[in-house]
Amino acid sequence: MNRPHRIARQSLMRTLLVPGVLLIVSIVGLILALTGDGTRDWIAALLLALPVAAIFRAWFAPASFQSKTIR
Amino acid sequence: MTERFSHPSGLAVKRSTIRFWYLTHRWTSIISTLFLLMLCVTGLPLIFHDEIDAAFGEDWESRLAGNPSASVGQPLDSIVARALAERPGEVPLFIGFSQDSSLITVTTGPSPDAPGSAMTLLNFDRLTGRSLGPVEGGGVMETILALHVDMLLGLPGMLFLGVMGILFLIALISGVVLYAPFMQRLRFGTLRRGRSKRVRRLDQHNLLGAATLGWALVVGATGAINAFADPLTDNWREGELAEMIAAQSSEEPLDPAAYGSLDLAMARAQEILPGRSPQFVGFPGGAWSGPRQYAIFFQGDRPLTSHLLTPALVEADTGRLVDAREMPAINKALMLSKPLHFGDYGGLPFKLLWAVLDLLTIWVLWTGLLLWLRRSPDRTERAVEEIALRSAPA
């Protein structure tokens, strides 16, 4: 079967890199908003927007992005 | 990495490990999903409870904005006197302050130990002393909150939802354990197009689940903590407050007629807690005070510590300060779990993102549910095989 999405096997670190970064920025954002108002709230919102942006990017990415392989 | 699978039994162990996590993910999810969907749906309006209350209720907080009742206005004693004039024969039970407006709330009841159902809440403008009438209760938002907290079933409902929260956390962790080998040959965010509905749902489930993991872990963990927090709060109240009171000579309840000046008690407490703002006062004889003492609960003066309470006990008849103590660390953590769970602390853009993450989580739960409902008979073995092969070297 044609599997255009398949890429060379990545290390565990590489597989979990993006979810790991998103995990850390969202937790930092959640706590940051608790420690202050004003600027901190805006930075917190920006950090919390990153997971949403990542989903948005993947969801609306052209098919070429989806099948692009990394070696 | 290759060595890991070189032994013939290596892959077999790997498969049994995958099967264990696969079944863990499946069963913790199946049991909790419907309740989690209910929590996500009811939680959505709760994020915006301030805005909704302001739009539909008598929005005293913004109409009386400025001159916070926690620090300025008419003497507390005169506000209490006005409340008692409205409720003849009753006694004062609590006073609640606002940090943003001159709104102040006085709770009265037939006796110092009156149950919640017998209490009356009255609003006042502390700046002018004007009565604003009783606090409206029982609205739609209150029902939604009650559904979210305990499904209207009291403590058993709350503890049950706490267990669902723990299952959710296990489902998240087992999900990550399965995600790692599954995604080893796929880029983050891959949505395989032109494939079956099942593949599409699985890819969406993986993408949304992986991206929202941090938020889901925090909201899930704080939700579970909140569900089990009440017994711990009672414990602190009964332990710490009782200890603060124990050194006192008399345990005899104080006659409400003998209550001295609350303004004097407030001044005494603020002498040793300068810069602190009061959040509420428990009158003598109630669950939140001593038999003869006012308990004044102060919040911290910084954004983080404003979520924490420090009680000061003052003898109601003599105005003598008894004690003031910080909460133990465990109770501080419990108090911080509340805002972290409800997301109502970071301004409107923050709340909107919180709502988006909540909706995305609903989609994760929904796709997960469909993946299970539309499964084929030999699904488990095929899924285990698929994940095992993906993580094996080419």
Side-chain angles (χ1 to χ4, degrees):
Chain A
M1 199 195 281
N2 178 29
R3 296 193 188 278
H5 306 285
R6 280 274 173 116
I7 56 172
R9 203 168 70 94
Q10 319 169 74
S11 67
L12 191 65
M13 281 277 277
R14 179 69 189 78
T15 312
L16 295 179
L17 181 68
V18 180
V21 169
L22 292 177
L23 173 98
I24 291 163
V25 297
S26 36
I27 292 179
V28 169
L30 291 175
I31 293 169
L32 192 67
L34 201 58
T35 64
D37 293 323
T39 320
R40 282 178 192 234
D41 278 348
W42 280 101
I43 299 171
L46 209 68
L47 291 175
L48 211 55
L50 289 175
V52 178
I55 292 169
F56 194 83
R57 178 169 179 239
W59 201 277
F60 296 102
S64 58
F65 161 81
Q66 297 287 347
S67 58
K68 198 175 135 200
T69 56
I70 46 173
R71 288 272 162 192
Chain B
M1 290 299 280
T2 316
E3 292 78 22
R4 258 177 79 194
F5 303 101
S6 56
H7 193 274
S9 67
L11 205 59
V13 172
K14 181 89 181 160
R15 284 214 172 82
S16 70
T17 310
I18 292 169
R19 184 176 295 111
F20 169 79
W21 286 107
Y22 183 84
L23 292 175
T24 303
H25 188 64
R26 173 196 274 188
W27 284 105
T28 51
S29 304
I30 288 173
I31 297 166
S32 60
T33 289
L34 288 181
F35 297 99
L36 293 171
L37 280 170
M38 179 279 286
L39 291 171
C40 283
V41 171
T42 52
L44 203 53
L46 293 176
I47 306 166
F48 302 101
H49 68 89
D50 285 335
E51 286 80 0
I52 294 172
D53 287 348
F56 292 103
E58 201 67 80
D59 185 17
W60 295 117
E61 283 281 349
S62 62
R63 281 175 59 180
L64 303 176
N67 303 302
S69 65
S71 50
V72 293
Q74 301 284 315
L76 296 171
D77 293 328
S78 79
I79 301 285
V80 172
R82 280 167 205 252
L84 294 181
E86 283 187 39
R87 307 288 304 173
E90 296 203 335
V91 297
L93 302 175
F94 294 102
I95 286 185
F97 299 94
S98 167
Q99 314 300 322
D100 309 306
S101 73
S102 53
L103 182 70
I104 188 166
T105 310
V106 182
T107 308
T108 64
S111 62
D113 58 352
S117 55
M119 295 178 186
T120 304
L121 275 74
L122 301 166
N123 281 329
F124 289 88
D125 177 357
R126 190 180 174 188
L127 199 62
T128 62
R130 187 164 61 104
S131 167
L132 306 171
V135 176
E136 301 289 338
V140 181
M141 288 302 282
E142 251 176 66
T143 310
I144 292 174
L145 178 64
L147 267 173
H148 189 91
V149 170
D150 59 15
M151 303 186 291
L152 311 173
L153 294 173
L155 188 62
M158 191 150 79
L159 296 177
F160 177 83
L161 288 179
V163 173
M164 293 303 114
I166 291 170
L167 290 180
F168 180 50
L169 292 175
I170 299 172
L172 289 172
I173 293 162
S174 55
V176 175
V177 174
L178 294 172
Y179 176 92
F182 184 85
M183 293 300 287
Q184 284 204 319
R185 290 174 180 281
L186 293 172
R187 279 174 64 118
F188 170 82
T190 300
L191 297 169
R192 288 166 288 173
R193 306 211 159 111
R195 301 280 296 273
S196 68
K197 268 189 184 156
R198 193 189 74 80
V199 169
R200 209 161 62 218
R201 282 187 194 123
L202 184 59
D203 286 349
Q204 291 177 3
H205 186 80
N206 284 339
L207 166 63
L208 270 56
T212 60
L213 179 68
W215 179 83
L217 278 173
V218 169
V219 176
T222 52
I225 289 170
N226 289 341
F228 297 112
D230 272 17
L232 282 165
T233 304
D234 290 349
N235 191 341
W236 165 77
R237 232 168 48 186
E238 283 154 20
E240 192 106 347
L241 279 185
E243 209 178 290
M244 286 165 72
I245 297 157
Q248 301 310 298
S249 49
S250 174
E251 294 275 317
E252 277 294 297
L254 188 64
D255 180 357
Y259 292 174
S261 168
L262 180 57
D263 293 287
L264 177 70
M266 183 66 77
R268 289 281 156 78
Q270 282 178 321
E271 277 170 22
I272 59 153
L273 294 170
R276 299 291 189 91
S277 186
Q279 195 177 84
F280 68 95
V281 175
F283 281 73
W288 288 87
S289 58
R292 307 177 64 85
Q293 296 86 10
Y294 291 123
I296 308 172
F297 288 81
F298 290 95
Q299 56 180 42
D301 49 1
R302 310 188 53 182
L304 185 63
T305 57
S306 72
H307 298 286
L308 303 174
L309 294 174
T310 305
L313 279 183
V314 182
E315 281 183 354
D317 47 352
T318 64
R320 192 179 69 84
L321 180 82
V322 178
D323 204 350
R325 286 188 195 179
E326 298 275 334
M327 285 184 138
I330 174 90
N331 292 93
K332 285 184 177 174
L334 291 179
M335 300 220 73
L336 290 175
S337 286
K338 296 247 150 134
L340 268 175
H341 183 73
F342 285 100
D344 53 357
Y345 59 96
L348 194 59
F350 187 82
K351 288 182 187 181
L352 288 169
L353 281 161
W354 196 284
V356 171
L357 288 162
D358 183 274
L359 290 169
L360 291 170
T361 302
I362 290 179
W363 194 247
V364 176
L365 294 169
W366 178 244
T367 48
L369 189 64
L370 287 180
L371 282 167
W372 175 67
L373 287 173
R374 308 276 153 84
R375 70 198 181 282
S376 52
D378 60 342
R379 179 75 198 108
T380 305
E381 288 318 308
R382 276 181 30 206
V384 170
E385 189 65 24
E386 189 180 0
I387 297 170
L389 287 175
R390 276 167 186 276
S391 65

